[in-house]
Amino acid sequence: MSLQGRLNTVARQAQKFSAPSTSQIVRVRNVCTSCKGAPGARSNQRSIAHSAASHRAIPFSLNTYSAPYEDRDEPVVRMLMFGKPGAGKGTLTSRLAKKYDITPISTGDLLRQHIAARTDIGIEAEKIVASGGLVPDQLMLKVLSSKLDGLGHKHWILDGFPRTFGQGELLDAHLKKRSTPLTLVVNLDVPDEVILSRISDRWVHLASGRVYNMSYNRPHVEGFDDITGEPLTRRPDDNPEIFARRLKEFYASTSPLLSYFAKMASTQTNESPNPHQHPHQVSFHRPSGLRVKTLSGSTSDEIWPQLDRLLQNTFPGLRERQEIKKTQIRSMVNDALLAELGVESDPSPLK
């Protein structure tokens, strides 16, 4: 594709984000290319790209440099979400991942991927599962770390692990060893009777995991998935007897976990300030470390605004996916403009 074609393409993509129109880009191009071949043409082009006139013609900055997360002094989302069976963990995790640049991690999905790929971890886990045993905590940590260790300073939320106090200690020790400790633990507090009513009306599409509820999230055609049209089914454990047993197991395993993380967060909050730190830093810097928060409500729609506000306040550097897309479009437009102007792209901020 020619350079002019590239300019036209990125201009069309940028229009939805209030980027300059094609005519604006062409106007800048014509102004700058009219001096081609003249003495000092390159210096003239550079001066136009950096002049006030260019900012009037281009209603956004040519500087789109953004430091990577590891170079920023901002907290990173490394999050666990706890809640009773049917409390809405999956729904809220999906909303977070859809709105923000957060990677959702499911230990169950990771384990199935290892088994399907026939990795050493997967082969070992498959033998245990096939014999009816439970995958040991150390092996589950290997499954999980195979993903977490590659994320570096990216934001993530973990589902399905830890479920016991021992697993919590293992995960905490591993993350601290990697200098990527947990930063947020959320506990969803939904009344038992609400969850029991919810799971009694719940239907699922097993292949995709999509969940429907006959009380407030009905499928378009009763009994069939909205996307594939395939039949919906009930989960085997969606009945009062099994729910009561799972609820008892949840309280027995999760209460010690929450106490463990709450104590850790309290210890970090009450730590004495660094005596070598400037007083202004002690006064005005946001405390770092783990935060534990309980969010209450009867539905995911009630809890979502609380969760959204919590992340915005705790992680001010967290970007929405739409914002990232805007930055990418602007970068494409800028690169095309600078290439046409004959100016090399500079990743550092323009003065």
Side-chain angles (χ1 to χ4, degrees):
M1 180 184 294
S2 66
L3 186 54
Q4 183 61 51
R6 183 183 173 200
L7 282 169
N8 292 338
T9 299
V10 295
R12 285 194 298 271
Q13 293 174 325
Q15 282 178 346
K16 66 180 72 175
F17 302 118
S18 301
S21 65
T22 306
S23 61
Q24 289 174 308
I25 293 178
V26 171
R27 182 168 70 250
V28 177
R29 175 181 179 274
N30 290 339
V31 169
C32 299
T33 56
S34 63
C35 59
K36 283 184 178 178
R42 184 171 181 80
S43 61
N44 288 339
Q45 291 170 2
R46 184 177 294 275
S47 65
I48 290 174
H50 292 261
S51 67
S54 70
H55 292 286
R56 288 195 297 271
I58 307 172
F60 57 88
S61 172
L62 285 174
N63 171 32
T64 58
Y65 174 74
S66 180
Y69 284 120
E70 55 267 29
D71 294 339
R72 302 178 187 178
D73 186 20
E74 297 173 350
V76 177
V77 180
R78 291 186 284 268
M79 176 179 172
L80 303 179
M81 189 183 297
F82 294 104
K84 304 166 190 173
K89 298 184 294 295
T91 299
L92 293 170
T93 296
S94 297
R95 289 189 184 183
L96 285 177
K98 183 177 181 179
K99 181 175 182 179
Y100 295 108
D101 183 27
I102 299 178
T103 301
I105 303 171
S106 167
T107 50
D109 290 345
L110 287 176
L111 183 60
R112 285 186 286 272
Q113 290 170 13
H114 275 280
I115 292 175
R118 307 298 296 168
T119 65
D120 292 341
I121 296 175
I123 293 173
E124 184 179 353
E126 186 178 31
K127 292 178 181 177
I128 297 172
V129 172
S131 64
L134 296 175
V135 179
D137 292 348
Q138 287 287 357
L139 185 57
M140 284 303 302
L141 183 62
K142 288 182 180 179
V143 171
L144 185 57
S145 61
S146 67
K147 177 70 174 180
L148 289 181
D149 293 353
L151 291 177
H153 291 267
K154 293 182 179 179
H155 304 291
W156 52 258
I157 176 171
L158 179 58
D159 174 39
F161 194 93
R163 294 184 183 275
T164 66
F165 181 80
Q167 291 177 352
E169 287 186 312
L170 281 175
L171 177 64
D172 180 45
H174 177 79
L175 292 176
K176 286 179 177 177
K177 183 178 179 181
R178 303 281 301 183
S179 299
T180 55
L182 287 171
T183 53
L184 180 63
V185 173
V186 171
N187 178 42
L188 305 180
D189 180 25
V190 181
D192 295 355
E193 59 274 14
V194 171
I195 298 178
L196 181 58
S197 172
R198 183 183 300 173
I199 66 173
S200 299
D201 292 334
R202 182 163 62 182
W203 291 80
V204 298
H205 179 244
L206 291 178
S208 66
R210 281 185 287 274
V211 179
Y212 300 89
N213 193 285
M214 303 309 291
S215 299
Y216 57 86
N217 182 34
R218 303 175 68 92
H220 297 321
V221 178
E222 187 169 339
F224 296 92
D225 178 50
D226 289 347
I227 306 301
T228 65
E230 296 172 346
L232 301 176
T233 186
R234 299 290 301 274
R235 288 177 177 169
D237 54 355
D238 278 354
N239 66 68
E241 293 77 17
I242 295 180
F243 172 73
R245 187 178 73 244
R246 292 180 65 195
L247 195 59
K248 184 178 180 180
E249 293 172 352
F250 168 80
Y251 283 123
S253 62
T254 305
S255 293
L257 261 178
L258 288 174
S259 298
Y260 172 75
F261 289 123
K263 183 178 180 180
M264 184 191 309
S266 176
T267 301
Q268 293 176 355
T269 302
N270 295 328
E271 284 180 350
S272 301
N274 186 342
H276 302 292
Q277 200 171 24
H278 191 279
H280 287 179
Q281 291 177 307
V282 176
S283 301
F284 298 115
H285 276 198
R286 179 185 297 273
S288 60
L290 176 65
R291 184 172 184 182
V292 179
K293 184 73 173 178
T294 295
L295 305 178
S296 302
S298 296
T299 67
S300 297
D301 288 340
E302 289 182 14
I303 295 177
W304 168 247
Q306 304 174 53
L307 180 60
D308 192 27
R309 186 164 55 251
L310 173 63
L311 263 75
Q312 290 178 6
N313 293 338
T314 309
F315 306 97
L318 182 62
R319 297 189 298 171
E320 296 188 19
R321 293 191 182 277
Q322 189 73 359
E323 179 187 347
I324 295 172
K325 188 174 182 180
K326 290 180 183 179
T327 302
Q328 291 171 341
I329 293 294
R330 287 174 179 147
S331 180
M332 291 171 61
V333 175
N334 292 342
D335 288 346
L337 283 170
L338 292 174
E340 179 67 4
L341 296 174
V343 180
E344 294 183 1
S345 179
D346 185 358
S348 61
L350 296 178
K351 303 297 183 182

